[in-house]
Structures are given as structure tokens and as C-alpha cells.
Amino acid sequence: MAIKRNMDPKKCPMPVQDPMVRRNNFDEVALGYTYEMAVNEAKRCLNCKNKPCTTGCPVQIDIPAFIERVANEDMEGAYQIIARSSSLPAVCGRVCPQEKQCESKCVRGIKGEAVGIGRLERFVADWHRENCKEAPAVPASNGHKVAIIGAGPSGLTAAGDLAKLGYKVTVYEALHLAGGVLVYGIPEFRLPKMIVQKEIDNLKAIGVDIETNMVIGKILTIDELFDMGNEAIYIGSGAGLPRFMNIPGESLKGVYSANEYLTRINLMKAYKPGSKTPIKHSKRVAVVGGGNVAMDAARSAKRMGAEEVYIVYRRGMEELPARKEEVEHAEEEGIIFKTLTNPVEVLGNEAGEVCGMRCVEMELGEPDASGRRRPIVKEGSEFVLDVDTMIMSIGTSPNPLIRSTTPGLETNSRGCIVTDGENGLTTREGVYAGGDAVTGAATVILAMGAGKAAAKAIDEYIQNK
Amino acid sequence: MYKIVRKQELNPTVTLMEIEAPLIARKAEPGQFIIFRAKEDSERVPLTIADFDREKGTVTIIFQIVGGATMELNTLNEGDCLHDFVGPLGKASETDGLKKVAVVGGGVGCAIAFPIAKKLHNLGCEVHSIVGFRNKDLVILEDDFKAVSDKLCMMTDDGSYGTKGLVTNALEQLIQEGNAYDEVIAIGPVIMMKFVAQLTKKYNIKTIVSMNPIMIDGTGMCGGCRLTVGGETKFACVDGPDFDGHLVDFDEAMHRGTMYRDFETHAREASCNLLNKEVR
């Protein structure tokens, strides 16, 4: 069917909750396109032959093909195209940095704004969830067993891809709930947990087993997983220990790692009245760091009732590593950006509680090894920021539990598992790894891309054995 | 699921539960811990393993009913199941090369001191156990300790049982009597461990303490359990829970342990009210 293209240079804006309202609740910020918006936006896609957008997608979704179906109002058809490549479309449509990936390659982006690919992906996944009640078909078994460590985005993607090929997949999760960073890290207002649960239910429906409360490296080792008949193992154990700055006062009451703060709120539901997990109800909060996790922590603190929330970052606004949309959302909600600022000491009162943060101002010098301009302390710029809580969001180093219990598994000087190129093969035969455990802290979609590549490599390895 | 196969009240505030958890029982070693959630909406709480039976496939925990989570756990009975039970977490206590050890337990900490005393005894090590309680009614595991100790000193704060005094009094006396310990292992309230470490520092005896800070995941993710040990930040869940007692910053650990005191007081009262209602 011929489609009348929509030549509007701008993409249809995402309807959102009003910032003054949403900063007081944990409901989802972005409300999603309506049916009409989605169809209209889909008509902006030129359906290019060489599909540059697809090259920007870590899981290689056939983007023009699914958008074409949306334009033709075949939503289930669109979903089936996405589902061929992605096991978690409702998640990716919400948390992928599309502006740096698929949308950055979009031809419409040259003379205007790119097609809203992420928003359309989200719409299709939500449409499917709400309208299609049919249970997915269980693939025929191929008689092979694979174990996956970690039920986060990487592990779940690998599990989905392998299960679709007929493998008997068991995913071992250390926490009491599957989802990894999608449930402990990313807040409800950015990714509702009901949606994550539904994606996990879909995987279970095609035969994936998920065993929670299983800390691999402790209760079972990699070698024991092989003894249990698994022919290959994928390690997607994720990020690990939070980093601190090693400045005085970091052990005071009221200093959190972003991981702890977000885990209390998200996984343990401390934002809900009556939650049995305690959290500090802060008045003035400084979040140290400028990534997506820092934005999540700051926006969560605001919603938990803090009056003033600062993002303290040693470089400038331009250098913030967080997605632009997250920064904008944070600004709209009243988060104060103290850029070119670096803490040097956390101050405490007699009760051992945080009562301030001594900072210095910074200026940008010559570019460093990462290509970003190096921040330099401005002489005599010291000042005290009046806060009662400090949340450290300056990254993590990989979890030590598996590397310390798996002979022959090589890690690099930063503790990341060493893998051979893109397929994720480690220094142990049959053991693959990907996601933050290999790269250090990165994004959900990169972890999913690694899970996908490893699933393909595992299939080839087992089939050629 | 994680069925309670035995529940026993050791004293009015301390309960023992033997839990069906065969995979954990197969791997557990003294010094390691588990994290439990009694019910689906419960807090995650770490407890050091008190005993395990590899053949029966059970893990024993002993807990003091101090807050909302332990009150809730105590409402479960034999035959009921815990919602979550994960482990064995942390590093096992090191026992290599030990020939003569003083094991010091304080209060419910004795529950954790017992398995290490038992393991050392089974390895042929000479074990002197010093256990301290506030009073006679709170004494637990006396017979268990007797069975694995070459010498047992029972101390109570008020003298209502054993010898009146602190565990440090008994330890110092034993040292002065000429007992040359390879190591002292102290497990109990932070304040007790602090004073044991101060004492042994004087005599230059290596001392291991078992730390039990606030924790969420227990797998090296949240960073809540951090301690300063020898000037460095360490995580009790993956680097411990055993640490060199001469290097731990105990005062900081005590401060951090009170982070949620107000919340806990409130939770305890709320649980009390709730449980009272259930009883009615």
C-alpha cells in the first residue's frame, strides 16, 4: 500500500507528565504516543533502501520494515519484526540512547529531526502488550543446555535468542527478582517495573527457566554448571562494586552509592509508603557524577521529597555523559546543575551525619586521553555546599565473585572479563561473557547487543562441536 | 522453597531455625552468611550461618528478635517457608595452620562463633572458648560450646551465671596465665570486638573479627556494607565479613550501624502492633 509521507521536519513530541506534577510522583514521565501520533510519525520514515538506521542498532532491528508496518497500521506485524531481533522491545524503546544510535543515522535527521524510532518502538511494544493476549509459541527443543549468569538485559537477551533456537536455557540470578539493572537501578518513572516483568514473563513463556537467589561463584561454580550438563555458559553478571572518591567523610551517615540509593528505592520499593526497607528522607542532596545513573538518583531524590537536589560534576554541561533527554527532564524537574565543581571533603556533625560538602570550582584545560578537556582546580575557589545527603555516582568496577572462583578465566587490570572480539568468548572454552562484566559500566542496549552476539556464537560453537 | 524444618526458642529473644537449603548446605563454611526475606515484601537481612548439615541439606540460623524483619521471621513456624534465602555469601573464615585459638563470643554473636569453634576443634586445634552474656536467662549454646572446646569460660555481666565480668577480663587472664594463642577470633557486638582487639593488640596476638554491617544485596553491588580497614574502604559482603581486628575502624562501623535507628524503632513498634492484631 502506498504511503503518503509526512514531510514535517520535526518529530512528533513525546507527551509527558507536567514537570511540576511528576517531580512529586514515581509514575512514568513519558506517556507514549497515541495510535494516531504513531501512525503519523511512522509516515515520516522514507523507508530508505540501504537502511542506515539499522547499522546504528546494537541488535540490528529491521527498523524501516517495522516502521512501514506501523504506517500501514499493522501493529502486530511491526511487533513481530522487532521481536525477531530484540527480546526486550518495551525496555529498549524507553531507555536506549537512540539519539546516539539508530536516530543518529536517520536520513531525515540531515535536514530536520530524525524519525522518532525509539518512540515508535515503544509504541509497538506497548500496543502488543495491551492488545495481543496470545501466548508465544514454544520453540521445539534441540536437546542442548545452556546456563546464563545474571538476569539483566544482557543475560535475558542471550536467553531469549537461545531459547528461540530450541536451547534449554536456565538463567541464574543473584537477587530475589529477575531484571538486573532494569529492576534495581532504573527508576519506575523511567521504566515501569510492570513492563520489565511482562518482558520476563514472555521469556518464561517460551521455556526460559529463571532461578533467583543463586549467586554463581558461591552456591555453584562455572565448573559445576558444566558438570550439570550445560554445554556453554554466558556470563552477564553486570557491574559491581560502586566507586568512591576516597575523600574524607565518605563513611558518614548520609553518604550513599547511587547503586545503594536506587536499589533501596527501586528493588526494595522504599518509595512506597509502608515499605519495610528504610531510606533517608533528605532535604538537600548532592549527587556526584554526570551520567544517566546520576540523573536517575537526582530525580529519585526529588521525588522522595528533597527540597534542593544538586548534580555536582567536575566538567561542564557540554561534557555530561548522560543522555540529553535525561538532562533536560532533570532540569525541568528543578534539579540544580553545579557543573565545573568537584567535592574534596564530606563534612559531618557530632552524630556522624552529613552536614555539608566542601567543594572546589574547576576549569577546563587541555584534552586528556579520553579526548575530553581535563578539569583543573581553580585556585582559592573552595566553598561549602549545604547538603545532608551525598550520592556517589561515579561508576563501578566489575563484580569479583565469578572471576575469583573460576580458574582459567582471565580478567584485565580493571577486573573486567577478557573476551575475544565481538562474540564474547572468554579464555575458557565454552564460556562467553558480555555487558558490564566485560566493558565496565555502559548502557542497557550495549549489554543486550553483547548478549545477542554471544547467543549467536554459542549456537555456532555447540552446533559445530 | 526454603522450608523451616526445626524452630527452637533458645531464650526469649533468640530463636534458632534450621532451614532446608541443600545447595547452600553443600557449600557453606563457618564465617559465611546468608540473606533472607521472610515474606515477599520483606527487607533483605544478612545473618551469619550458625551451622549446616551437608547430608540433611539444611542451614541453621540463629537470630535475635531486634527489629521488624526478625520479628516477622519469628512469626514463621516449622513447616512454613521463607520467601528468599540466598548464600553462602562472603568469605569463609581461615583456619589454615591454627594450633591454638581463643574463640570469643558475645550474646547472639556466640551463634556465629560456635561453627568456627567446631571447625577448629574438628581440625585438631586447641580451642579455648570465652562466651559472654548479659545474664543467665540469655545464655545460649552452652552445651554446644562445651563439646568443642578444650576450655570454656562462661561470663555474665551481672554474675548470675558463670563468672561475673566481661569477656575481655577472661581473655586477659588466660593470656596472662601463659596461653600462647596463634589467633583470637572475636564475634559479637561491635563494641565488644573493639575492646577485644584493643586488648590483643597490647599482647600482639592476631585477631579476627566478624563484621555485620547494614547490607542490601550482599553480592558486591550496593556498597552499603563498606568499612574502613587499615585506612582502605572494604566491603563486608565480598571482602569479609572477617577482617583483621587490629585494622578495623570500629567507631565508624558503630556510627554507620545506627543509620536507620529511628526507622527501626518505628518498624519495631509498627510490627508489634500488627502482630498483636494478628494474635487477637
Side-chain angles (χ1 to χ4, degrees):
Chain A
M1 184 167 73
I3 296 165
K4 189 175 174 333
R5 303 274 166 217
N6 168 358
M7 293 314 289
D8 191 334
K10 289 198 170 285
K11 70 171 103 169
C12 173
M14 175 61 106
V16 292
Q17 258 199 88
D18 183 88
M20 292 306 118
V21 175
R22 73 180 190 234
R23 67 187 210 177
N24 297 314
N25 69 49
F26 273 83
D27 299 338
E28 195 170 13
V29 169
L31 303 171
Y33 278 171
T34 62
Y35 192 93
E36 290 71 28
M37 285 174 179
V39 173
N40 244 334
E41 181 63 20
K43 288 179 180 167
R44 290 186 65 234
C45 174
L46 303 177
N47 202 0
C48 313
K49 260 207 197 90
N50 58 353
K51 309 181 181 187
C53 48
T54 296
T55 65
C57 175
V59 297
Q60 287 111 42
I61 292 173
D62 188 347
I63 294 165
F66 100 74
I67 293 184
E68 175 95 4
R69 300 288 166 95
V70 177
N72 283 320
E73 303 190 35
D74 172 13
M75 301 307 173
E76 184 56 23
Y79 179 81
Q80 290 308 330
I81 289 172
I82 298 175
R84 282 209 304 258
S85 308
S86 170
S87 295
L88 311 166
V91 173
C92 291
R94 287 172 165 82
V95 304
C96 267
Q98 291 100 3
E99 69 281 2
K100 288 182 190 160
Q101 298 177 352
C102 51
E103 293 180 18
S104 75
K105 313 270 182 182
C106 177
V107 171
R108 291 297 307 263
I110 300 168
K111 283 188 177 169
E113 287 182 355
V115 174
I117 299 169
R119 293 167 186 181
L120 289 172
E121 182 186 24
R122 169 185 164 155
F123 173 81
V124 169
D126 288 354
W127 187 92
H128 172 81
R129 187 180 61 252
E130 281 153 23
N131 294 283
C132 181
K133 302 296 172 201
E134 227 171 279
V138 180
S141 166
N142 70 3
H144 297 283
K145 260 174 84 175
V146 176
I148 291 179
I149 302 169
S154 198
L156 292 176
T157 299
D161 280 19
L162 288 166
K164 283 175 198 161
L165 293 169
Y167 289 89
K168 180 68 217 157
V169 180
T170 307
V171 183
Y172 295 97
E173 167 57 43
L175 291 171
H176 56 262
L177 200 63
V181 73
L182 308 175
V183 297
Y184 76 72
I186 302 176
E188 180 77 17
F189 57 83
R190 211 148 71 74
L191 180 63
K193 302 309 148 217
M194 175 275 287
I195 283 165
V196 179
Q197 192 51 53
K198 189 69 200 173
E199 302 267 35
I200 291 166
D201 291 344
N202 285 341
L203 290 176
K204 287 184 179 165
I206 61 167
V208 173
D209 269 341
I210 300 183
E211 290 201 29
T212 54
N213 293 328
M214 294 291 281
V215 181
I216 302 303
K218 288 290 176 189
I219 192 160
L220 292 172
T221 62
I222 298 262
D223 292 288
E224 286 168 317
L225 290 175
F226 278 120
D227 294 344
M228 288 160 66
N230 292 294
E231 293 174 62
I233 291 163
Y234 179 66
I235 305 172
S237 53
L241 296 166
R243 290 215 176 92
F244 290 87
M245 290 181 76
N246 295 318
I247 57 175
E250 282 182 316
S251 295
L252 290 164
K253 289 188 274 182
V255 180
Y256 284 102
S257 73
N259 273 4
E260 181 183 356
Y261 191 72
L262 290 170
T263 300
R264 284 180 183 275
I265 293 175
N266 299 322
L267 178 71
M268 304 312 294
K269 309 277 175 238
Y271 71 92
K272 287 188 177 167
S275 166
K276 290 169 184 165
T277 294
I279 192 155
K280 182 169 172 151
H281 289 272
S282 317
K283 292 261 181 286
R284 301 169 66 84
V285 179
V287 178
V288 180
N292 289 322
V293 176
M295 301 304 137
D296 285 345
R299 297 170 70 196
S300 296
K302 193 84 190 174
R303 285 163 172 76
M304 293 299 292
E307 287 153 20
E308 302 275 13
V309 181
Y310 302 97
I311 289 278
V312 175
Y313 180 58
R314 64 197 183 123
R315 291 184 160 98
M317 284 305 279
E318 290 304 308
E319 286 79 18
L320 283 169
R323 282 182 71 190
K324 200 162 157 271
E325 183 182 302
E326 304 305 326
V327 175
E328 284 167 7
H329 280 165
E331 283 183 309
E332 287 166 12
E333 289 164 15
I335 309 296
I336 302 160
F337 283 75
K338 283 229 167 273
T339 50
L340 292 169
T341 303
N342 207 28
V344 291
E345 184 184 2
V346 197
L347 306 172
N349 60 19
E350 304 86 48
E353 293 157 343
V354 174
C355 67
M357 193 166 95
R358 196 186 303 282
C359 301
V360 286
E361 287 176 25
M362 312 293 279
E363 54 197 352
L364 294 179
E366 294 301 308
D368 63 12
S370 71
R372 293 182 300 178
R373 293 175 66 193
R374 188 196 304 272
I376 306 165
V377 177
K378 241 194 243 179
E379 285 301 319
S381 63
E382 211 172 271
F383 70 100
V384 171
L385 195 62
D386 172 22
V387 292
D388 60 21
T389 301
M390 178 173 173
I391 301 170
M392 300 298 280
S393 181
I394 54 170
T396 58
S397 49
N399 198 303
L401 291 185
I402 289 167
R403 69 168 186 258
S404 62
T405 54
T406 310
L409 187 73
E410 235 175 77
T411 53
N412 66 18
S413 58
R414 292 179 301 140
C416 300
I417 298 172
V418 175
T419 57
D420 174 24
E422 284 180 3
N423 65 15
L425 179 63
T426 67
T427 50
R428 278 284 303 265
E429 189 189 338
V431 181
Y432 295 74
D436 285 5
V438 168
T439 57
T443 60
V444 167
I445 187 68
L446 285 176
M448 289 180 59
K452 192 166 189 65
K456 189 163 166 276
I458 287 171
D459 178 46
E460 281 164 10
Y461 165 70
I462 292 178
Q463 297 308 328
N464 293 324
K465 252 201 327 192
Chain B
M1 293 299 282
Y2 313 96
K3 194 161 102 181
I4 302 166
V5 295
R6 181 163 68 101
K7 180 181 179 185
Q8 188 187 337
E9 187 186 292
L10 298 187
N11 74 35
T13 62
V14 176
T15 303
L16 173 151
M17 277 183 185
E18 192 177 340
I19 316 281
E20 212 170 75
L23 287 176
I24 303 176
R26 214 159 57 91
K27 287 289 176 72
E29 289 290 343
Q32 292 188 297
F33 65 95
I34 56 89
I35 285 184
F36 75 88
R37 289 203 314 158
K39 296 178 184 170
E40 196 182 354
D41 63 346
S42 302
E43 201 184 349
R44 291 172 67 93
V45 180
L47 274 183
T48 307
I49 293 168
D51 205 355
F52 47 85
D53 187 326
R54 303 207 201 282
E55 273 159 33
K56 259 173 87 186
T58 58
V59 172
T60 301
I61 51 174
I62 294 178
F63 57 95
Q64 188 158 23
I65 304 152
V66 283
T70 39
M71 275 183 181
E72 199 174 41
L73 178 60
N74 202 44
T75 62
L76 300 181
N77 291 307
E78 278 179 14
D80 292 343
C81 287
L82 273 69
H83 198 276
D84 298 289
F85 198 70
V86 55
L89 300 168
K91 290 183 178 164
S93 300
E94 282 173 26
T95 49
D96 286 356
L98 298 177
K99 297 274 180 287
K100 184 166 179 171
V101 172
V103 175
V104 183
V108 76
C110 292
I112 311 156
F114 169 69
I116 181 71
K118 177 171 149 185
K119 182 172 179 185
L120 289 167
H121 173 76
N122 290 343
L123 289 170
C125 174
E126 184 178 345
V127 176
H128 291 184
S129 297
I130 304 162
V131 294
F133 301 91
R134 285 212 309 278
N135 60 53
K136 187 178 186 227
D137 296 337
L138 299 177
V139 172
I140 57 169
L141 303 177
E142 185 182 5
D143 293 340
D144 302 77
F145 270 103
K146 257 187 201 148
V148 300
S149 307
D150 298 276
K151 188 188 274 290
L152 175 66
C153 302
M154 172 67 66
M155 308 296 292
T156 51
D157 292 358
D158 65 354
S160 54
Y161 194 62
T163 310
K164 181 175 163 95
L166 301 171
V167 288
T168 40
N169 304 138
L171 179 62
E172 184 152 31
Q173 196 182 338
L174 286 171
I175 294 168
Q176 284 175 350
E177 283 169 8
N179 287 294
Y181 297 115
D182 300 327
E183 191 172 293
V184 172
I185 298 171
I187 304 171
V190 179
I191 186 89
M192 180 206 92
M193 296 192 284
K194 175 184 168 175
F195 284 111
V196 170
Q198 264 177 18
L199 173 72
T200 57
K201 178 105 187 162
K202 200 167 74 179
Y203 293 98
N204 204 17
I205 306 167
K206 185 180 174 192
T207 297
I208 298 296
V209 295
S210 175
M211 302 302 286
N212 188 12
I214 294 170
M215 201 177 272
I216 309 176
D217 64 299
T219 65
M221 190 269 282
C222 81
C225 65
R226 64 189 184 277
L227 304 158
T228 305
V229 181
E232 279 180 60
T233 297
K234 295 279 178 189
F235 299 96
C237 67
V238 289
D239 298 323
D242 284 3
F243 290 101
D244 182 336
H246 295 156
L247 298 178
V248 172
D249 185 336
F250 290 107
D251 294 335
E252 178 190 287
M254 275 186 270
H255 260 308
R256 287 184 61 78
T258 62
M259 169 99 196
Y260 298 109
R261 198 165 41 192
D262 292 348
F263 182 96
E264 279 158 15
T265 309
H266 176 77
R268 189 163 54 230
E269 283 161 7
S271 295
C272 283
N273 292 335
L274 209 66
L275 297 176
N276 286 345
K277 270 179 214 152
E278 277 173 20
V279 172
R280 273 177 223 151

